[in-house]
Amino acid sequence: MSTPPAHHPALSTADPELAALVVAEEQLQSRTLRLIPSENYVSHAVLEASGTVLQNKYSEGYPGRRYYEGQQNIDQVETLAVERAKSLFGVDHANVQPYSGSPANLAVYLAFAEPGDTVMGMALPMGGHLTHGWGVSATGKWFRGVQYGVRQDTGLIDFDEVRELALKERPKVIFCGGTALPRTIDFAAFAEIARECGAVLVADVAHIAGLIAGGAHPSPVPHADVISTTTHKTLRGPRGAMLMCREEHAKALDKAVFPGLQGGPHNQTTAAIAVALHEAAQPSFRDYAHSVVANAKALADALLARGFDLVSGGTDNHLILMDLTPKDVPGKVAAKALDRAGIVVNYNTVPFDPRKPFDPSGIRIGTPSLTSRGLTTAHMETVAEWIDRGVTAARTGDEEALAGIRAEVADLMSAFPAPGLPA
Ligand SMILES: *Cc1c(COP(=O)(O)O)cnc(C)c1O
């Protein structure tokens, strides 16, 4: 066994078995190229805030209106997070208590719909999220989910289709946004349709919140009635979520989160959200957000030059969705091979995928994590080359080639220490 790591002294003493797993994960996150577009590296400050004794406190309710005493500090922590969210995104109201993105979306349904009501969102295999009314999700079981997609020829949302469906089905709530959308979301176009059919428009910006905060993607303000976001993706905060809205919806949303859906908020997470929002308000975060997009565009160009088939032909944001059918490798086979090559991606359906969701045709990659480590557009040709070689090795079963890539990846990544990780 290796000697106990100095950076987790208490953990190493109390529970060496668990400490060893944490250290192993640190090494994995440090030595691999992480391309999963919903992941990132939080700063040391965010990590510290989320590991504080704020953990020990119950605080059901909201600042100044709690059901437990002893909130002298917690009220200020939550107020700080709320004020920073309002200022960063330019909204009237923010709720920072949702435990994660899925419960945040459930709170939205609770606020604006009754069980059995019609709700509308993008279909999961088209790039939407489970919680946008997809059948296996509670949101598709308790509500009547109707789903829109993208056009087969362009890979883009067809707003005529969305409008037609919305006017026919009259949903109470319309979700826009998703998990595998490589293009800019036209919030104004969705808002016009929501207005026409009297629906509440929810912009679920979980993936792109950091790009919006950094000015690298248009804001859903003032178009959306409600903005839902996770805090742990491009926003670079702890695992958590926020709901934001105009004043008119504030009460309904707050009531839905607590007492409608949740009990005590996770105050250590609230604190870490406050820190992340502070970091996202710095000029350097604007540079970060624009670099994420520049890296994604450079990577997309390099992949296109190598004959990869990108859904919608490229990207406007942090994310690239590739259909590997022309490369004659299923997405899952490629994803698992790339993992062995030290390149961490996820297999993903592509629109109109003839294969099953658990064994789809594509992989999904993104640049938030590598940009957090300081990689630039100058590195994207190398990244594309690794992916290309990895996919080829996946097809031919060349494990030696995968091991070779893994060593090259570890070598480059060692020059770009990740935020929050021991050097
Ligand atoms: C990630 C994501 C969610 C869910 O977030 P969890 O924290 O995983 O529950 C919801 N909506 C969208 C669009 C997402 O990308």
Side-chain angles (χ1 to χ4, degrees), residues 38 99-103 105 128-129 131-132 177-179 204-207 230 232-233 239-240 364:
S38 50
Y99 298 142
S100 213
S102 302
N105 285 348
H129 191 259
T131 56
H132 296 183
T179 64
D204 183 349
V205 299
H207 261 262
T230 56
H232 49 270
K233 298 178 184 174
R239 305 200 80 79
R364 188 184 68 148

Side-chain angles (χ1 to χ4, degrees), residues 83-91 212-214 235 276-278 280-282:
E83 291 305 320
R84 287 173 179 175
K86 284 162 63 176
S87 145
L88 184 65
F89 289 95
V91 291
I212 292 166
L235 195 54
L277 291 168
H278 178 64
Q282 306 309 312

